[in-house]
Structure formats: structure tokens, C-alpha cells
Amino acid sequence: MSSFEADAHAKINLALAVTGTRDDGYHELRSVFLRLALHDRLEAELDPDAPSDQLEIEGEEVTAEGNLVLRAASRLRAAIDPSLPPLRFRLRKRIPAAAGLGGGSSDAAAAIDLALAAWGVRLHPAERLGAALRVGADVPFFTAGHSASLVEGIGEHVTELPSLEPVAGILLVTPRERLSTAEVFAEFDRQPASGALERVDEVVLLLREGVDGMTLAASTAMLREANDLWPAAVRLRPQLEGVRDLVSRTIGHAVLLTGSGPTLVAVYPSEAAATRAAVSLQATAAPELEGATIISTSTIERGEHS
């Protein structure tokens, strides 16, 4: 029986503005997403004898229950043909979970593509994007397949931006205590913040003018406060501010929050430079970094991802 596989890449938000709240409770955003080389690996094959879709996970401590891979397969099947056979997924997890890196959404986008391949079904791009949005707000970005995008609304509007060529190095620091997206947005609603919208527009202009990793790295000081969710994340995890200050002092570089956090990001001209920064952080014995996951990776060029 044929097996299908795909990489599910992480993302960072260079800037994120909350632009409104809809009547159904969803928040509208305007944000710049960059896809990273860091990725999970998902495999899928038909399993007609199984009572339902199955998911095996290796790596990061996440469970199959409620996983977006299974949600994606279930909702896709319901939209196409409920009689389509069950699937067996195997997920090798490398992206930290509940970290603002979009790992679950990226896995879901990969699951949609692998399910369609296993079932031998083809969808119009608009139908595929609709299927992605029914699973989660970040899934359409991963489904669109761009290296860099302006994402608006609740995630349904994805506009491709020029990718960074050469690529940028990315340092990721994910504290031990994670944050759920729902938790952060609920806290945001209690005490809204604003101010990142101008930064989003500046980043969009920067990318459209054409930049490489070195130029972007030199511009990241303006991004330190370019996330409207930062105050909410800090209220929920007060230690996060201390972690950011420590990381910034240690590496001598501006540090920003991605997504709803708690992962902190620094941008470098190359992956080698990001790796040197990761090594310097890993060598510290600072209690603020106890249990933190420190990863060096890079952005990817157009066409590099699967």
C-alpha cells in the first residue's frame, strides 16, 4: 500500500497586529509570516481496516487526542465523501508545541495534502483553502505554500510576499512554560493592546523592496514591540519579560515574540550566526532558561519547502 509523506514547516510572525474582533469571537489580524526550515515530518497511508483515522507521534510530548492532524482529516472527509477510508498518520515532531510557531497548523496543512493524495482526490485551490480554514486560522498560510506572506482577517486572506534571498538565520528560544493561543487572546480581550499595525506595514514594505537576511537582521530592533499580543503573554507569564531581557543581553541582539508566544525570536544574517548565538545561550546557567528549548534554523527560499 502506498505511503505519502511531507515536511510541515514552522513559522514566525515578524509583526502581528490585532485589527478587530468579529461577532463570532474570532480576532482579525494583520501579520507577516515567514516559513522556517525547522519542520515536522508527516506520513500517511490508507488503513481500511482501522475503525477511524489513527495518529502515531514521535518526539515532542503531544497527544493524538484533539490533534489538528486528525481534525483536518475528519473535516476534509466530511466535506468530500464521508465514506472515504480511514488513514494512518505517523508524525515525527520537532517543532515545539504551544509555542507560537504554528506546528499544529502546519501539521494540519500537510495532513490535508497527504489525505487528498492517499484518497486520490483533487480539489480546486479555493476548495483546498476553504478546507484549511475550517481546521484553524493559521492553516491557510501553510496550505498556500509561500515562504513569506501577509496574512489578514482570521487567516483566510494570504498574500505572497518576496522571500528572503539569501535566507536569514533564526534563533528560537521557547521557555519551558508554554502558552495556548486561546488563553492569550482571552487575556488580550480583558486588556487590549495596539500599536503594531504601523510596524506590520513597515515590514511589508521592507520585504516588497527586496531584502536579504543581513538587511532584515539589521532592522529587527523596530520589531521588538511589533506584536499586540506581547502584553497579554507577559501578564499570563510574567517571567517571560525577564527571559527576553536575559536573552537580549546575552546575545546582544533585539528579541521579539512570535505569534501568541511564548517563543522568542532573534534574526541573524545567516544560520551560522544564529547557531553561534544558540551555543552561547546554551552555555549559560541562567535559571530563566532552565528547561527552555533553544533552536537555530533559517528562513527558506521560495520553492525550497515541500
Side-chain angles (χ1 to χ4, degrees):
M1 188 172 294
S2 297
S3 177
F4 302 86
E5 57 185 31
D7 291 339
H9 292 263
K11 61 84 180 168
I12 57 170
N13 303 78
L14 281 182
L16 188 159
V18 181
T19 58
T21 304
R22 304 193 327 178
D23 291 340
D24 58 11
Y26 282 97
H27 295 80
E28 295 194 333
L29 308 177
R30 183 173 168 87
S31 181
V32 175
F33 284 49
L34 294 182
R35 193 183 299 247
L36 304 183
L38 173 67
H39 63 272
D40 296 337
R41 188 69 175 170
L42 185 66
E43 301 175 15
E45 63 183 10
L46 296 178
D47 192 357
D49 297 328
S52 61
D53 295 323
Q54 304 295 310
L55 174 62
E56 304 165 9
I57 304 175
E58 301 173 10
E60 180 84 6
E61 293 184 5
V62 294
T63 63
E65 184 178 357
N67 191 281
L68 291 184
V69 167
L70 295 179
R71 184 192 300 179
S74 174
R75 294 188 178 180
L76 184 63
R77 178 187 289 105
I80 300 172
D81 180 354
S83 68
L84 286 167
L87 298 161
R88 180 169 297 276
F89 293 98
R90 285 176 291 276
L91 176 61
R92 284 174 286 192
K93 195 79 185 147
R94 296 180 59 222
I95 303 170
L101 294 169
S105 296
S106 187
D107 294 341
I112 289 172
D113 288 344
L114 295 182
L116 291 172
W119 290 329
V121 173
R122 298 187 66 177
L123 291 183
H124 185 277
E127 294 176 311
R128 185 166 158 266
L129 195 63
L133 188 60
R134 286 193 291 272
V135 179
D138 286 348
V139 183
F141 163 71
F142 294 106
T143 299
H146 307 322
S147 300
S149 293
L150 171 65
V151 178
E152 299 173 279
I154 60 170
E156 76 275 29
H157 301 301
V158 180
T159 304
E160 184 175 14
L161 296 171
S163 58
L164 298 168
E165 298 180 17
V167 300
I170 303 294
L171 171 69
L172 304 172
V173 180
T174 305
R176 177 176 56 190
E177 289 191 55
R178 305 296 170 84
L179 281 166
S180 78
T181 300
E183 184 181 24
V184 174
F185 274 108
E187 181 61 30
F188 174 89
D189 287 339
R190 282 188 278 272
Q191 190 175 333
S194 63
L197 187 57
E198 184 177 347
R199 298 282 88 82
V200 174
D201 293 339
E202 289 175 357
V203 175
V204 170
L205 180 60
L206 191 67
L207 292 177
R208 284 179 171 158
E209 289 176 342
V211 295
D212 56 17
M214 181 172 293
T215 305
L216 182 63
S219 305
T220 51
M222 73 173 182
L223 302 178
R224 192 173 186 273
E225 307 301 331
N227 188 330
D228 284 341
L229 297 179
W230 167 254
V234 170
R235 288 196 298 273
L236 290 169
R237 299 287 186 273
Q239 65 273 29
L240 189 57
E241 190 156 25
V243 174
R244 184 169 76 165
D245 289 344
L246 171 68
V247 171
S248 186
R249 288 197 310 271
T250 303
I251 65 177
H253 210 73
V255 176
L256 52 134
L257 181 78
T258 180
S260 57
T263 298
L264 301 168
V265 176
V267 182
Y268 287 87
S270 67
E271 186 173 358
T275 298
R276 289 192 293 271
V279 170
S280 70
L281 279 179
Q282 289 162 345
T284 68
E288 293 93 333
L289 294 179
E290 184 179 354
T293 301
I294 301 172
I295 298 172
S296 61
T297 183
S298 69
T299 58
I300 59 178
E301 296 181 1
R302 184 182 292 108
E304 184 179 339
H305 54 276
S306 57

